[in-house]
Amino acid sequence: MESFSTFNISKQLHYAIEDLGYEKPTPIQSQSFSVIQSGKDMVGIAQTGTGKTFAYMLPLLQGLPFSKEINPRILVIVPTRELVIQVVDEIEKFAKYMDVRVLGVYGGVNMNRQKEAVVLGCDIIVATPGRLYDLVLSRALQLKSVRKLVIDEVDVMLDLGFRFQIINIFELLPNRRQNIMFSATMTDDVNELIQDFFQAPTTISVAVSGTPLDNIQQYCYSVPNFYTKINLLVDLLQKDEEYSKVLVFVSNKRSADLLFTELEDIFTSEVAVIHSNKTQNYRIRSIENFNNEETRILVTTDIMARGLDLDQISHVINFDTPPFPENYMHRIGRTGRAEKEGVSILLSTEKEKGYKEAIEALMEVKIPLLKMPLEVDISKKLTCDEQPKHRERNNPLNLENSGKGFHEKKEKNKKENLGGSYKRTIKKKYKKPKTKGDKNFNKRNKKK
Ligand code: AMP
């Protein structure tokens, strides 16, 4: 493969690459460099771990002349605060020998400090969509000088419901700009955004979703229920030499908290949890501790973990089986990185069997099934979701059985609710709003 010496980049960037110890460009870096440098719009389909941050930053830094301009010229939008911190950190390493001002802004913390920082000026701003928009609305930040827009982890961003914020931001940007987008998966939503806002982009895809990474050994256990999964997990995690740095995935915040409480009883400070309901500081501390190997086990949800650069994970444990097979690919991709061996373990109940089959179909690989260790207790305890739904077959009020209401509706109750009509009727009748406290009502109506 080609080396960085064939890239037409400055000495300063070559020195930074040397310091980082990168020997050769990764595939996404080789393929995107000339496209981004040419100024064309680009869509990169690449997961975290492929070197995508450097893939867009290298040509952008190379093309960024020194300037004292206050307004940013490069805008990088990412879905989570953690990713802002991480990307800023990476850019600072890449631009170590350059005179480049990088600023990260994200929500969940006081905006005044960020306003002060923005006013001082920067060349590159890395932001979450909501906070970026608020800073623009508060007039602290102007986007009129942005010539390069990077949107990273677009699929996560759309998943989190940021579509409108992204579109609002597009509206605030100058028309003459280069758009660069990265997404781990191509979804209908992502495609729609590209169609609406990109101009004949070049698409570069480096990781076909569904390709299991060669250096990951995958196994699965068939487990009857949640609490038996906990027993099995505890049994595995007790082998602390082998399970040296473990990322445990669950699909939602509730299960994450439940699992964390159970594990904390046994492993105390060796375990931490992150999800979007945890405070910003707590999350940052948890990730730092995990990266410094102060905590050995990190429980996380899919969305929280995506995009985080966590190194040297020995084991990924899929506590539940994700319904979207792509999420399994993302999860296991957090281990076995940088040519190190990694292990992934999937815990599946009978109910989750279909999801497991979908994953196997996507990878075209059957995940080897391991025997439940004899010492693991099979729990009879069930979570609320696992408990059988109680049905009274002969109860006439049990509408599920009869398929329709117990008695016919009265005439007045048969009316269809067309939505909001009550408010409209009242307004028409009394010519004033039903709700109290609309102080501007009289003013508005005087003008008419
Ligand atoms: P990313 O996909 O941007 O999150 O990058 C994943 C990791 O790969 C980061 O820790 C980078 O420092 C590292 N990396 C990026 N480019 C290279 C390269 N050319 N050679 C070796 N490691 C790299």
Side-chain angles (χ1 to χ4, degrees):
M1 199 195 274
E2 67 183 313
S3 86
F4 282 113
S5 60
T6 61
F7 282 36
N8 185 13
I9 49 173
S10 67
K11 273 201 308 266
Q12 286 84 344
L13 284 166
H14 275 299
Y15 294 150
I17 292 171
E18 250 174 59
D19 284 2
L20 285 160
Y22 298 170
E23 282 168 10
K24 54 182 194 291
T26 64
I28 188 78
Q29 290 163 3
S30 310
Q31 292 175 49
S32 346
F33 188 78
S34 59
V35 178
I36 295 179
Q37 224 183 12
S38 75
K40 275 192 72 155
D41 282 3
M42 193 199 103
V43 176
I45 305 294
Q47 303 185 14
T48 315
T50 52
K52 65 188 164 72
T53 317
F54 198 44
Y56 62 77
M57 262 349 282
L58 183 62
L60 292 183
L61 285 172
Q62 172 60 28
L64 185 70
F66 173 78
S67 164
K68 286 189 174 162
E69 154 130 43
I70 297 286
N71 300 317
R73 288 168 292 157
I74 298 178
L75 167 62
V76 182
I77 309 178
V78 297
T80 61
R81 304 147 193 188
E82 287 77 7
L83 207 48
V84 171
I85 295 167
Q86 186 182 304
V87 169
V88 168
D89 189 47
E90 295 248 301
I91 298 175
E92 279 168 352
K93 284 184 202 151
F94 305 150
K96 185 171 165 191
Y97 299 104
M98 295 172 69
D99 202 352
V100 171
R101 297 158 301 164
V102 190
L103 179 66
V105 291
Y106 44 81
V109 291
N110 188 298
M111 191 157 73
N112 288 334
R113 276 225 194 127
Q114 292 180 354
K115 277 188 190 167
E116 285 163 22
V118 166
V119 171
L120 292 177
C122 65
D123 301 297
I124 304 173
I125 189 158
V126 184
T128 49
R131 179 49 58 97
L132 180 78
Y133 195 63
D134 290 345
L135 283 167
V136 176
L137 286 192
S138 74
R139 294 173 191 270
L141 175 65
Q142 288 199 31
L143 298 179
K144 63 179 184 194
S145 303
V146 172
R147 294 286 172 272
K148 313 278 176 187
L149 167 71
V150 180
I151 317 180
D152 202 355
E153 306 260 337
V154 185
D155 46 355
V156 178
M157 204 110 63
L158 295 174
D159 241 28
L160 292 173
F162 283 141
R163 187 181 161 77
F164 285 105
Q165 274 104 326
I166 295 175
I167 292 172
N168 284 339
I169 292 164
F170 279 147
E171 311 274 314
L172 299 170
L173 291 170
N175 285 336
R176 272 196 54 226
R177 62 167 198 267
Q178 180 181 20
N179 299 305
I180 300 159
M181 176 193 276
F182 282 88
S183 184
T185 45
M186 183 56 106
T187 64
D188 288 347
D189 285 348
V190 174
N191 195 32
E192 200 182 316
L193 203 66
I194 296 168
Q195 299 304 327
D196 290 350
F197 296 98
F198 279 47
Q199 294 192 351
T202 304
T203 302
I204 295 172
S205 183
V206 290
V208 182
S209 67
T211 314
L213 305 172
D214 289 340
N215 37 353
I216 303 174
Q217 298 165 39
Q218 302 180 56
Y219 301 105
C220 66
Y221 286 96
S222 178
V223 191
N225 52 39
F226 183 91
Y227 284 99
T228 311
K229 281 186 177 181
I230 290 186
N231 295 347
L232 172 61
L233 184 61
V234 169
D235 185 70
L236 297 173
L237 292 175
Q238 261 152 359
K239 300 171 194 140
D240 55 359
E241 294 229 330
E242 187 185 342
Y243 287 73
S244 57
K245 196 169 179 187
V246 187
L247 201 54
V248 184
F249 280 99
V250 281
S251 56
N252 60 56
K253 297 168 206 169
R254 202 159 47 103
S255 309
D257 280 331
L258 193 57
L259 179 57
F260 172 67
T261 317
E262 297 283 337
L263 293 180
E264 201 189 19
D265 272 353
I266 298 158
F267 297 104
T268 60
S269 63
E270 276 191 289
V271 58
V273 61
I274 51 165
H275 56 61
S276 50
N277 280 3
K278 294 283 171 199
T279 65
Q280 176 62 15
N281 286 340
Y282 182 95
R283 275 148 53 181
I284 295 174
R285 209 173 47 242
S286 300
I287 292 158
E288 271 174 10
N289 288 347
F290 188 60
N291 270 337
N292 300 338
E293 305 195 358
E294 280 167 41
T295 44
R296 180 167 68 92
I297 307 153
L298 185 64
V299 177
T300 178
T301 54
D302 290 289
I303 292 285
M304 234 333 92
R306 266 171 74 174
L308 289 181
D309 185 20
L310 302 170
D311 257 351
Q312 323 247 322
I313 307 276
S314 68
H315 291 74
V316 164
I317 299 191
N318 299 276
F319 189 79
D320 54 25
T321 309
F324 295 102
E326 285 81 8
N327 283 356
Y328 176 81
M329 304 306 299
H330 288 301
R331 289 177 176 192
I332 68 166
R334 311 317 305 267
T335 184
R337 297 171 75 175
E339 279 146 45
K340 288 221 164 52
E341 294 267 307
V343 180
S344 158
I345 293 171
L346 174 69
L347 311 187
S348 261
T349 59
E350 187 61 31
K351 242 184 170 172
E352 294 172 318
K353 211 170 142 198
Y355 301 152
K356 187 179 126 218
E357 284 164 4
I359 292 166
E360 292 177 331
L362 179 69
M363 296 192 298
E364 294 176 1
V365 163
K366 203 144 178 66
I367 308 169
L369 183 70
L370 295 181
K371 263 204 183 140
M372 188 77 121
L374 287 173
E375 67 274 15
V376 173
D377 267 349
I378 306 295
S379 176
K380 292 231 163 53
K381 189 171 158 190
L382 299 177
T383 62
C384 287
D385 291 341
E386 286 171 342
Q387 277 166 24
K389 303 278 169 284
H390 206 67
R391 282 200 193 128
E392 294 174 82
R393 283 188 172 274
N394 300 321
N395 184 344
L397 287 172
N398 189 345
L399 306 185
E400 240 175 73
N401 288 339
S402 59
K404 60 177 181 185
F406 173 54
H407 54 71
E408 278 291 297
K409 278 183 179 175
K410 284 192 184 136
E411 200 52 37
K412 72 176 171 77
N413 291 337
K414 274 188 179 167
K415 274 187 231 152
E416 217 179 313
N417 183 358
L418 298 173
S421 68
Y422 176 68
K423 261 192 184 167
R424 275 201 302 275
T425 317
I426 294 293
K427 201 172 169 185
K428 218 165 151 188
K429 197 166 164 188
Y430 300 107
K431 298 207 169 40
K432 61 179 181 182
K434 193 176 83 72
T435 45
K436 285 182 186 171
D438 184 353
K439 290 180 196 151
N440 295 326
F441 178 77
N442 290 335
K443 262 192 249 163
R444 251 198 330 262
N445 283 289
K446 249 182 222 164
K447 273 186 211 157
K448 273 181 194 168

